[in-house]
Amino acid sequence: MQRNASSSRAKPTNYPALSLRLCLDKALAMIDAMPDAEVFLPVEEFAALAGYEGFNTNSAPKGFVAALRHFGLLEKQPTTRNLRLAAAVRAAAGAGRERLARLVAESVARPACYQAMFRRFAVLPGRAAVEQALTADGMGARQARLIAGAFLQDWALAESLGVKPGALLPEAANDAAEPTGGACESILLPAGTSLRLVFSGIPTAEQWKFLRDYAALKAA
């Protein structure tokens, strides 16, 4: 997870500035407005279809485009700046709940900051706990509020579609989240195995470092 403790705003290159729910709402509406959803469009036209104006002078459309990239919902035409919605989004349009659930399952755990939270929490946490965990990882307070709100909204979206976000992490097949509350994290050991830690509270960044160093020492 990239750190930027001094900033008070979410950086589109580091964090999704919008929730997956909002991205999908806008993306599916864009498809309805497009003559041909498979055509690549100049980035300015692409953002305009989502309701944004002034791509070169306004941060909002840039944040939207960046958020689509974070969630894997965007395709870029080689050698140009032209964009189109990813094939999975185009396929989900009007295809029903099952296809939408599959799309959410593929997208919700892609951002690095979301992955860190899914590893830390085994069940849906409160907003204050997520904000505390994000700031402990070096995120500014205002950033943490924005990201926490989007993250919890997207976790709820996933659960409403029958998707278990924690099971979507790369190592989930061999390291499923325990059905308990609190904080959890997997620590990679030098031998290539992992150690999973579960706590009732939210360890600070310094505590996580101590635990990682201790695990590495014991495994040496």
Side-chain angles (χ1 to χ4, degrees):
M1 183 172 172
Q2 299 188 45
R3 303 187 178 200
N4 191 6
S6 62
S7 175
S8 62
R9 298 180 60 191
K11 299 294 186 182
T13 54
N14 297 337
Y15 314 102
L18 285 74
S19 67
L20 174 62
R21 178 188 286 274
L22 183 55
C23 285
L24 287 175
D25 286 347
K26 287 183 172 293
L28 295 175
M30 289 171 68
I31 290 176
D32 291 339
M34 291 179 182
D36 186 347
E38 296 188 7
V39 172
F40 286 94
L41 298 173
V43 63
E44 296 84 359
E45 293 182 25
F46 182 89
L49 276 172
Y52 295 102
E53 297 180 356
F55 185 87
N56 294 316
T57 58
N58 187 353
S59 63
K62 292 183 176 68
F64 170 63
V65 169
L68 291 178
R69 289 196 177 100
H70 279 289
F71 291 117
L73 304 179
L74 200 61
E75 295 175 0
K76 183 177 180 295
Q77 188 176 37
T79 73
T80 76
R81 296 177 66 210
N82 294 353
L83 306 172
R84 72 179 178 189
L85 293 168
V89 184
R90 304 196 304 272
R97 179 185 176 90
E98 183 177 348
R99 186 63 67 88
L100 179 60
R102 191 181 313 161
L103 176 59
V104 169
E106 293 170 352
S107 303
V108 72
R110 288 178 62 98
C113 57
Y114 277 30
Q115 287 187 24
M117 294 302 98
F118 285 135
R119 289 191 178 97
R120 187 161 288 183
F121 298 103
V123 296
L124 186 65
R127 182 162 182 162
V130 178
E131 289 184 22
Q132 181 182 350
L134 290 168
T135 53
D137 281 348
M139 189 179 288
R142 185 172 183 273
Q143 275 178 290
R145 286 195 296 272
L146 293 173
I147 301 302
F151 171 74
L152 292 173
Q153 186 180 89
D154 292 340
W155 188 325
L157 169 65
E159 289 196 338
S160 74
L161 293 168
V163 176
K164 296 186 181 300
L168 304 175
L169 294 167
E171 70 278 11
N174 299 317
D175 192 17
E178 291 83 354
T180 60
C184 57
E185 181 165 312
S186 291
I187 296 177
L188 185 64
L189 302 176
T193 58
S194 63
L195 174 67
R196 190 168 186 80
L197 303 171
V198 181
F199 297 90
S200 59
I202 309 299
T204 65
E206 291 76 18
Q207 289 170 330
W208 279 124
K209 182 179 185 303
F210 169 81
L211 291 168
R212 292 191 185 95
D213 291 345
Y214 178 77
L217 179 64
K218 295 293 288 184

